[in-house]
């Protein structure tokens, strides 16, 4: 009796998904609960396990196709046997067969956009090292392979002394030689993923539906950095987690939100809803784009618990295993562009929240302290807020409270 593989329910607001990748091929043996296929929605990527052991008899939907909730996307035959592999007669035949099988397997599991890019440039997927999940080849891997392929002939040209002298230094990113552009397609058209479409729609909606405004301040990071240096080893030994900056800023934000409750509120119809809990979203970059998992009831957690929860959620994002429930809700968001080198930015709200704090890189700058010019590690911070809910005075006060707490961390202990 055949068993249907159906698209599972993934939340009330999700009605469809996209086939991202089949982990198994037709004719392969699968065990119960073994991952069969990866589905991508407008919010998360999720794995669909096998409902029963058997052989994957049929795949109804290919990567890139859109499917509805509860739609049948494949069939498992629990009584069938897996396809047997022919016995090679010679070592050379073995190598050829294995190579062909590997190439076929990789081609079958590649996302359509990546497969098209490989085919258009005449690349062998077996020669490309995948940096994605489970060694999956990503678009960036293919573009790197194209650049390497094009740069190889230029090195071998005999009339290269002048070219070699004028070549860019190793610190400058390699550019594709102009002479080799004829071998590249004029454009690479890649369909937007469901997640990227949702991010785009939400960002545009935030700008259309909210009265966005951003205010800035700068923070002297000396005290927090000295505190981390002094206690990071003891903290790691005691709690088995690194002491980072995010726990300090999370606690500082909570103190500021308590002082300025409007920034922890949202508009609901014609009402203003002031929230007495603090679910802090922490923006994390993952293989599918930027997502914002939530640290629930962060005001009730210790520094170590905040760091552990952020690390747990960040690992789930990087592994592509973040759940919809991990990202639902949230009363305020912290986005740290500083890890990518950003000096200053104006973050966009995560609706229906009324505020988001942007952190930036730490740079040693000359500042005046007690009428003396000194060198201090400084960070610009930015608060974007919904002016319909939050007044300018409240926004400035919020940032000042965050600044005071970071510059004098004892305030976090005393909650003042």
């Amino acid at each position: 009796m055949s068993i249907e593989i159906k698209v599972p329910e993934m939340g009330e607001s999700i009605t469809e998904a996209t086939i991202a990748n089949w982990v198994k091929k037709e004719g392969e043996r699968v065990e119960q609960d073994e991952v069969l296929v990866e589905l991508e929605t407008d919010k998360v990527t999720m794995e669909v396990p096998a409902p029963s052991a058997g052989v994957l008899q049929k795949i109804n939907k290919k990567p890139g196709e859109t499917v509805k909730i509860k739609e049948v996307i494949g069939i498992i035959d629990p009584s069938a046997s897996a396809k047997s592999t022919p016995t090679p007669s010679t070592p050379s035949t073995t190598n050829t067969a294995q190579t062909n099988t590997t190439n076929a397997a990789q081609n079958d599991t590649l996302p359509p956009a990546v497969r098209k890019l490989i085919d258009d440039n005449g690349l062998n997927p077996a020669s490309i090292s995948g940096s994605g999940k489970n060694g999956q080849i990503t678009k960036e891997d293919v573009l790197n392979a194209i650049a390497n392929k094009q740069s190889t002939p230029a090195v071998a040209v005999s009339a290269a002394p002048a070219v070699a002298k004028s070549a860019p230094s190793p610190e400058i990113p390699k550019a594709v030689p102009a002479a080799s552009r004829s071998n590249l397609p004029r454009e690479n058209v890649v369909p937007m993923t469901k997640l990227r479409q949702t991010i785009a729609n939400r960002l545009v909606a935030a700008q259309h539906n909210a009265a966005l405004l951003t205010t800035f301040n700068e923070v002297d990071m000396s005290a927090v950095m000295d505190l981390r240096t002094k206690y990071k080893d003891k903290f790691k030994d005691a709690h088995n987690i690194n002491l980072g900056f995010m726990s300090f800023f999370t606690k500082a934000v909570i103190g500021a939100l308590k002082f300025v409750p409007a920034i922890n509120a949202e508009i609901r119809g014609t009402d203003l809803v002031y929230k007495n809990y603090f679910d802090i979203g922490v923006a994390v970059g993952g293989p599918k784009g930027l997502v914002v998992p939530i640290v629930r009831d962060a005001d009730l957690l210790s520094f170590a618990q905040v760091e552990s929860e952020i690390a747990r959620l960040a690992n789930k994002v990087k592994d592509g295993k973040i759940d919809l429930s991990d990202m639902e809700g949230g009363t305020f968001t912290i986005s740290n562009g500083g890890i990518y080198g950003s000096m200053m930015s104006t973050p966009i709200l995560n609706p229906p929240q009324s505020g988001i704090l942007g952190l930036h890189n730490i740079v040693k700058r000359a500042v005046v302290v007690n009428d003396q010019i000194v060198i201090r590690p400084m960070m610009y911070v930015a608060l974007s807020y919904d002016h319909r809910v939050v007044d300018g005075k409240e926004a400035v006060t919020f940032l000042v409270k965050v600044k005071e707490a970071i510059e004098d961390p004892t305030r976090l202990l005393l909650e003042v």
Side-chain angles (χ1 to χ4, degrees):
M1 180 179 178
S2 297
I3 297 177
E4 296 178 337
I5 306 166
K6 295 183 178 181
V7 178
E9 294 187 5
M10 294 173 280
E12 293 181 4
S13 62
I14 300 177
T15 59
E16 63 181 23
T18 301
I19 303 292
N21 174 45
W22 279 95
V23 179
K24 292 292 185 177
K25 298 186 300 180
E26 286 187 358
E28 283 191 339
R29 174 75 185 178
V30 299
E31 301 300 329
Q32 186 170 357
D33 296 329
E34 186 177 7
V35 177
L36 285 177
V37 61
E38 294 175 344
L39 300 179
E40 186 178 78
T41 73
D42 57 355
K43 296 182 179 180
V44 294
T45 298
M46 69 174 298
E47 298 174 337
V48 178
S52 172
V55 171
L56 182 55
Q57 186 180 44
K58 186 178 181 182
I59 293 176
N60 295 338
K61 296 290 182 177
K62 296 180 180 179
E65 293 191 63
T66 299
V67 294
K68 301 292 184 181
I69 302 302
K70 295 185 179 180
E71 184 176 352
V72 178
I73 57 176
I75 301 292
I76 290 178
D77 186 346
S79 62
S81 300
K83 294 179 181 178
S84 60
T85 303
T87 304
S89 57
T90 64
S92 60
T93 305
T94 301
N95 294 338
T96 303
Q98 289 177 341
T99 301
N100 292 338
T101 301
T102 302
N103 292 344
Q106 289 182 329
N107 274 314
D108 285 346
T109 58
L110 289 174
V114 174
R115 183 166 57 247
K116 184 177 186 303
L117 193 57
I118 290 175
D119 294 340
D120 289 344
N121 290 278
L123 297 176
N124 180 0
S127 65
I128 303 174
S129 298
S131 61
K133 182 180 176 184
N134 298 324
Q136 178 79 17
I137 297 174
T138 66
K139 178 186 174 184
E140 287 73 19
D141 297 329
V142 180
L143 293 176
N144 289 335
I146 294 172
N148 292 335
K149 176 183 176 184
Q150 302 304 330
S151 62
T152 302
V155 175
V157 174
S158 59
V163 177
K165 290 179 182 178
S166 62
S169 62
E171 290 78 13
I172 300 176
K174 293 181 179 179
V176 178
S180 65
R181 276 187 52 194
S182 59
N183 297 326
L184 295 176
R186 184 72 174 174
E187 295 178 336
N188 291 323
V189 179
V190 181
M192 291 178 68
T193 63
K194 291 288 184 182
L195 178 60
R196 177 54 59 186
Q197 292 177 42
T198 298
I199 291 173
N201 292 334
R202 286 175 65 86
L203 293 180
V204 172
Q207 292 182 311
H208 281 303
N209 299 331
L212 286 181
L213 202 62
T214 303
T215 186
F216 301 89
N217 211 319
E218 61 178 358
V219 178
D220 184 345
M221 298 294 292
S222 301
V224 167
M225 294 176 73
D226 291 343
L227 192 62
R228 287 182 70 232
T229 301
K230 184 176 180 179
Y231 290 108
K232 65 180 181 179
D233 293 334
K234 292 181 179 179
F235 188 90
K236 179 68 177 292
D237 292 339
H239 304 292
N240 196 32
I241 190 70
N242 292 323
L243 178 60
F245 291 127
M246 288 304 295
S247 55
F248 288 95
F249 276 102
T250 300
K251 290 295 184 179
V253 159
I254 292 170
L257 290 174
K258 289 180 178 180
F259 195 82
V260 189
I263 302 179
N264 203 46
E266 70 174 63
I267 293 177
R268 194 177 297 168
T270 58
D271 296 326
L272 272 177
V273 181
Y274 291 87
K275 300 170 183 176
N276 298 317
Y277 59 95
F278 303 88
D279 288 352
I280 307 300
V282 180
V284 178
K288 302 294 183 180
L290 189 71
V291 295
V292 186
I294 310 298
V295 179
R296 309 286 179 185
D297 296 315
D299 58 316
L300 305 180
L301 304 180
S302 67
F303 273 73
Q305 289 171 325
V306 170
E307 293 287 357
S308 297
E309 182 66 1
I310 291 174
R312 183 186 72 84
L313 293 169
N315 287 331
K316 290 185 71 174
V317 171
K318 292 174 183 176
D319 293 338
K321 296 182 180 293
I322 194 73
D323 298 323
L324 182 62
S325 59
D326 293 322
M327 299 184 292
E328 289 180 326
T331 63
F332 186 87
T333 296
I334 303 175
S335 179
N336 186 7
I339 61 175
Y340 303 112
S342 171
M343 184 187 76
M344 186 179 289
S345 65
T346 56
I348 299 179
L349 290 179
N350 186 21
Q353 297 172 21
S354 297
I356 177 171
L357 180 68
L359 309 182
H360 302 92
N361 60 350
I362 301 171
V363 178
K364 288 185 178 180
R365 291 200 298 272
V367 296
V368 178
V369 178
N370 297 326
D371 293 330
Q372 292 185 334
I373 298 176
V374 296
I375 304 298
R376 294 291 176 85
M378 305 298 292
M379 175 195 285
Y380 289 124
V381 291
L383 174 71
S384 290
Y385 59 98
D386 189 344
H387 212 346
R388 298 175 302 168
V389 181
V390 183
D391 292 331
K393 178 184 176 181
E394 293 173 312
V396 173
T397 301
F398 174 91
L399 273 190
V400 169
K401 285 295 181 181
V402 171
K403 173 184 172 70
E404 290 175 345
I406 297 299
E407 292 185 342
D408 184 6
T410 54
R411 289 175 173 268
L412 299 177
L413 177 63
L414 300 176
E415 298 183 350
V416 297

